[in-house]
Coordinates of all heavy atoms in Angstrom, one line a residue:
L174 N -79.9 69.3 35.3 CA -79.2 68.1 35.6 C -77.7 68.4 36.1 O -77.3 67.7 37.0 CB -79.1 67.2 34.3 CG -78.5 65.8 34.5 CD1 -79.2 65.0 35.5 CD2 -78.5 65.1 33.1
Q175 N -77.1 69.3 35.5 CA -75.7 69.7 36.0 C -75.8 70.2 37.4 O -74.9 69.9 38.2 CB -75.1 70.8 35.0 CG -73.7 71.1 35.3 CD -72.8 70.0 35.2 OE1 -72.8 69.2 34.2 NE2 -71.9 69.8 36.2
N176 N -76.8 71.1 37.7 CA -76.9 71.6 39.1 C -77.2 70.4 40.0 O -76.6 70.4 41.1 CB -78.0 72.6 39.1 CG -77.7 73.9 38.4 OD1 -76.5 74.2 38.3 ND2 -78.7 74.6 38.0
S177 N -78.0 69.5 39.7 CA -78.3 68.3 40.5 C -77.1 67.5 40.7 O -76.8 67.1 41.9 CB -79.4 67.5 39.9 OG -80.6 68.1 39.9
N178 N -76.3 67.3 39.7 CA -75.0 66.5 39.8 C -74.1 67.3 40.8 O -73.4 66.6 41.6 CB -74.4 66.3 38.5 CG -75.1 65.2 37.7 OD1 -75.8 64.4 38.2 ND2 -74.9 65.2 36.4
N179 N -74.0 68.6 40.7 CA -73.1 69.3 41.5 C -73.5 69.2 43.0 O -72.7 69.0 43.9 CB -73.0 70.8 41.1 CG -72.3 71.0 39.8 OD1 -71.5 70.2 39.4 ND2 -72.6 72.1 39.1
L180 N -74.8 69.3 43.2 CA -75.3 69.1 44.6 C -75.1 67.7 45.1 O -74.7 67.5 46.3 CB -76.8 69.4 44.7 CG -77.2 70.9 44.5 CD1 -78.8 71.0 44.4 CD2 -76.7 71.7 45.6
L181 N -75.2 66.7 44.3 CA -75.0 65.4 44.7 C -73.5 65.1 45.0 O -73.2 64.5 46.0 CB -75.4 64.4 43.6 CG -75.3 62.9 43.9 CD1 -76.1 62.6 45.1 CD2 -75.7 62.1 42.7
K182 N -72.6 65.8 44.2 CA -71.2 65.7 44.5 C -70.9 66.3 45.9 O -70.1 65.7 46.7 CB -70.4 66.4 43.4 CG -70.3 65.6 42.2 CD -69.4 66.3 41.2 CE -69.4 65.6 39.8 NZ -68.6 66.4 38.8
Q183 N -71.5 67.4 46.2 CA -71.3 68.1 47.5 C -71.8 67.2 48.6 O -71.1 67.1 49.7 CB -72.0 69.5 47.5 CG -71.3 70.5 46.6 CD -72.1 71.8 46.6 OE1 -73.2 71.9 47.2 NE2 -71.6 72.8 45.8
L184 N -72.9 66.6 48.4 CA -73.5 65.8 49.5 C -72.7 64.6 49.7 O -72.4 64.2 50.9 CB -74.9 65.3 49.0 CG -75.6 64.3 50.0 CD1 -75.9 65.0 51.3 CD2 -76.9 63.8 49.3
T185 N -72.2 63.9 48.7 CA -71.4 62.7 48.9 C -70.0 63.0 49.5 O -69.5 62.3 50.3 CB -71.2 61.9 47.5 OG1 -70.6 62.8 46.6 CG2 -72.4 61.4 47.0
Y186 N -69.5 64.2 49.1 CA -68.2 64.6 49.7 C -68.4 64.9 51.2 O -67.6 64.4 52.1 CB -67.7 65.9 49.1 CG -66.5 66.4 49.8 CD1 -65.2 65.9 49.5 CD2 -66.6 67.5 50.7 CE1 -64.1 66.4 50.2 CE2 -65.4 67.9 51.4 CZ -64.2 67.4 51.1 OH -63.1 67.8 51.7
S187 N -69.5 65.6 51.6 CA -69.8 65.8 53.0 C -70.0 64.6 53.8 O -69.5 64.4 54.9 CB -71.0 66.8 53.1 OG -70.8 68.0 52.6
A188 N -70.8 63.7 53.2 CA -71.1 62.4 53.9 C -69.8 61.6 54.1 O -69.6 61.1 55.2 CB -72.2 61.6 53.1
S189 N -69.0 61.5 53.1 CA -67.8 60.8 53.2 C -66.9 61.4 54.3 O -66.3 60.7 55.1 CB -67.1 60.8 51.8 OG -65.8 60.3 51.9
H190 N -66.8 62.7 54.2 CA -65.9 63.4 55.2 C -66.5 63.2 56.6 O -65.7 63.0 57.6 CB -65.9 64.9 54.9 CG -65.0 65.7 55.8 ND1 -65.5 66.3 56.9 CD2 -63.7 65.9 55.7 CE1 -64.5 66.9 57.6 NE2 -63.4 66.7 56.8
D191 N -67.8 63.3 56.8 CA -68.4 63.2 58.1 C -68.2 61.7 58.7 O -68.2 61.6 59.9 CB -69.9 63.5 58.1 CG -70.1 65.0 57.9 OD1 -69.1 65.8 58.0 OD2 -71.2 65.4 57.6
L192 N -68.2 60.8 57.8 CA -68.0 59.4 58.3 C -66.6 59.0 58.6 O -66.3 58.0 59.3 CB -68.6 58.4 57.2 CG -70.1 58.4 57.1 CD1 -70.5 57.6 55.9 CD2 -70.8 58.0 58.3
K193 N -65.6 59.7 58.1 CA -64.2 59.4 58.3 C -63.8 59.5 59.7 O -63.1 58.7 60.2 CB -63.3 60.2 57.4 CG -63.3 59.8 56.0 CD -62.4 60.7 55.1 CE -62.5 60.2 53.7 NZ -61.7 61.1 52.8
E194 N -64.3 60.5 60.4 CA -63.9 60.8 61.8 C -64.3 59.6 62.7 O -63.5 59.1 63.5 CB -64.3 62.1 62.3 CG -63.8 62.5 63.7 CD -62.3 62.6 63.7 OE1 -61.6 62.9 62.6 OE2 -61.7 62.3 64.8
P195 N -65.6 59.2 62.7 CA -66.0 58.1 63.6 C -65.3 56.8 63.2 O -64.9 56.1 64.2 CB -67.5 58.0 63.3 CG -68.0 59.3 62.8 CD -66.8 59.8 62.1
L196 N -65.0 56.6 62.0 CA -64.3 55.4 61.6 C -62.9 55.4 62.1 O -62.3 54.4 62.5 CB -64.3 55.2 60.1 CG -65.7 54.8 59.5 CD1 -65.6 54.7 58.0 CD2 -66.1 53.4 60.1
R197 N -62.3 56.6 62.1 CA -60.9 56.8 62.6 C -60.9 56.5 64.1 O -60.0 55.9 64.6 CB -60.5 58.2 62.3 CG -59.0 58.4 62.4 CD -58.5 59.8 62.0 NE -58.9 60.0 60.6 CZ -59.5 61.1 60.1 NH1 -60.0 62.0 60.9 NH2 -59.8 61.2 58.8
N198 N -61.9 57.0 64.8 CA -62.0 56.8 66.2 C -62.2 55.3 66.5 O -61.6 54.8 67.5 CB -63.1 57.6 66.9 CG -62.8 59.1 66.9 OD1 -61.7 59.4 66.9 ND2 -63.8 59.9 67.0
I199 N -63.0 54.6 65.8 CA -63.2 53.2 66.0 C -61.9 52.4 65.8 O -61.5 51.5 66.5 CB -64.3 52.7 65.1 CG1 -65.7 53.2 65.5 CG2 -64.3 51.1 65.0 CD1 -66.8 53.0 64.5

């Protein structure tokens, strides 16, 4: 469960980071 939570945190960080640039451009 701890490993899954860590992977989920990494995924949400990456998704958030990846979405910021297009939103900034818009």
Side-chain angles (χ1 to χ4, degrees):
L174 184 59
Q175 184 63 45
N176 290 336
S177 293
N178 284 342
N179 289 337
L180 290 173
L181 185 58
K182 283 180 185 178
Q183 290 175 358
L184 175 67
T185 55
Y186 175 81
S187 295
S189 171
H190 183 268
D191 290 348
L192 289 174
K193 284 181 183 176
E194 188 60 29
L196 290 174
R197 195 174 300 127
N198 288 336
I199 290 169

